[in-house]
């Protein structure tokens, strides 16, 4: 399941973030890549300990933790904190699957990477190339979103970032361990929750809503891991 969530940050917020990123001291992206993916990865990244990573990461998570669509689609349990990356002309990250388990530096807790999230900080017109290419069950999708938008996709998917051929592409990404491990089960719950939300708006007093909401929670109870 691929989910596009628009406008997580406003145009002004994104402008301020991008200005800060333009001034930052970037490091080689290979620092957080696994052994195999280091060969495929050619970009810049802000170190995990960089104050700007922490500040932007915290702002993203705060925003998403109160975002009903993100919460319903991801059913987050815990996250590997957001990292920031920068692709200049010629930078690319070839096809790979992310490591299954990540551990943030200095933190004993491990995170299973059920879901990946990429949040775009550059506008599509500011660079050429740099599409996030994701292979899912419907084939290959090329994703290039407005600054401030994000895409949520399963950690099991093969993906890459096309070479940038003009301009600079700033983005952030992070991994989420979901309360529901299987993408297909999470997708069912999301569909059902979305339908319940719509019915709650359109026919708030319908007695079947209680039954349907109960069924949602009973399904979630079967599948949840805490
Ligand atoms: Ni990746």
């Amino acid at each position: 399941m691929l989910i596009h969530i628009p406008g997580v940050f406003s145009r002004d917020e994104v402008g301020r973030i991008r200005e800060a990123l333009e001034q930052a001291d970037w490091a080689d992206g290979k620092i957080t890549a696994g052994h195999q993916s280091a060969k495929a990865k050619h970009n810049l990244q802000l170190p995990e300990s960089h104050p700007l990573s922490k500040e932007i990461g915290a702002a993203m998570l705060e925003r998403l933790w109160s975002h009903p669509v993100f919460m319903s689609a991801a059913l987050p349990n815990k996250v590997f904190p957001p990292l920031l990356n920068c692709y200049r002309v010629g930078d690319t990250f070839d096809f790979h699957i992310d490591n299954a388990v990540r551990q943030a530096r200095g933190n004993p807790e491990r995170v299973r990477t059920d879901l990946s999230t990429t949040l775009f900080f550059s506008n599509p017109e500011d660079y050429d190339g740099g599409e996030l290419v994701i292979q899912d069950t419907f084939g290959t999708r090329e994703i290039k979103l407005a600054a401030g938008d994000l895409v949520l996709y399963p950690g099991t998917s093969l993906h890459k970032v096309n070479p940038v051929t003009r301009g600079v592409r700033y983005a952030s990404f992070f991994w989420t361990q979901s309360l529901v491990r299987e993408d297909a089960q999470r997708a069912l719950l999301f569909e059902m929750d979305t339908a319940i939300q719509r019915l709650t708006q359109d026919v708030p007093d319908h007695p079947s809503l209680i039954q349907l909401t109960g069924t949602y929670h009973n399904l979630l109870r079967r599948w949840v891991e805490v």
Side-chain angles (χ1 to χ4, degrees):
M1 180 172 65
L2 253 68
I3 307 270
H4 169 199
I5 301 180
V8 174
F9 287 109
S10 71
R11 188 184 272 262
D12 284 354
E13 289 171 323
V14 160
R16 283 199 298 275
I17 291 170
R18 205 169 42 236
E19 242 167 60
L21 292 176
E22 281 163 2
Q23 311 294 326
D25 282 328
W26 293 84
D28 193 316
K30 294 189 201 298
I31 47 176
T32 55
H35 176 68
Q36 263 211 320
S37 61
K39 285 185 251 170
K41 189 175 186 184
H42 305 278
N43 66 1
L44 297 176
Q45 196 164 290
L46 278 191
E48 279 171 69
S49 55
H50 196 290
L52 202 54
S53 297
K54 291 186 175 175
E55 193 186 332
I56 297 172
M60 277 170 65
L61 294 182
E62 195 191 319
R63 197 59 63 94
L64 291 173
W65 255 236
S66 57
H67 197 295
V69 178
F70 180 84
M71 292 306 281
S72 175
L75 295 169
N77 182 354
K78 50 188 173 178
V79 297
F80 182 94
L83 295 169
L84 289 132
N85 58 34
C86 164
Y87 288 78
R88 301 150 301 174
V89 171
D91 285 350
T92 182
F93 196 165
D94 212 345
F95 269 127
H96 65 281
I97 288 180
D98 297 336
N99 286 4
V101 178
R102 309 294 307 215
Q103 186 170 8
R105 207 159 290 169
N107 186 340
E109 199 170 52
R110 284 175 292 186
V111 175
R112 193 183 59 228
T113 56
D114 296 327
L115 288 157
S116 285
T117 301
T118 295
L119 200 151
F120 291 76
F121 286 125
S122 296
N123 283 303
E125 58 272 23
D126 294 339
Y127 61 100
D128 291 331
E131 298 86 359
L132 172 63
V133 181
I134 301 170
Q135 277 190 7
D136 76 357
T137 45
F138 298 106
T140 299
R141 316 252 212 123
E142 290 205 348
I143 292 154
K144 191 170 185 174
L145 302 176
D149 289 16
L150 70 74
V151 62
L152 183 67
Y153 62 99
T156 48
S157 10
L158 198 59
H159 58 281
K160 69 171 177 175
V161 176
N162 279 339
V164 167
T165 56
R166 178 187 63 87
V168 181
R169 173 199 193 268
Y170 293 105
S172 178
F173 67 96
F174 67 94
W175 291 286
T176 304
Q177 178 171 328
S178 178
L179 293 166
V180 175
R181 179 199 296 236
E182 291 297 328
D183 188 55
Q185 293 174 338
R186 226 184 296 112
L188 265 177
L189 288 167
F190 179 60
E191 295 277 320
M192 195 170 177
D193 189 37
T194 306
I196 291 171
Q197 298 308 323
R198 282 198 201 118
L199 289 172
T200 304
Q201 287 209 325
D202 295 350
V203 283
D205 299 321
H206 199 289
S208 293
L209 264 176
I210 293 170
Q211 213 172 5
L212 206 51
T213 306
T215 307
Y216 171 87
H217 282 285
N218 287 333
L219 275 178
L220 179 58
R221 201 185 331 273
R222 285 185 80 120
W223 294 334
V224 77
E225 297 170 48
V226 286

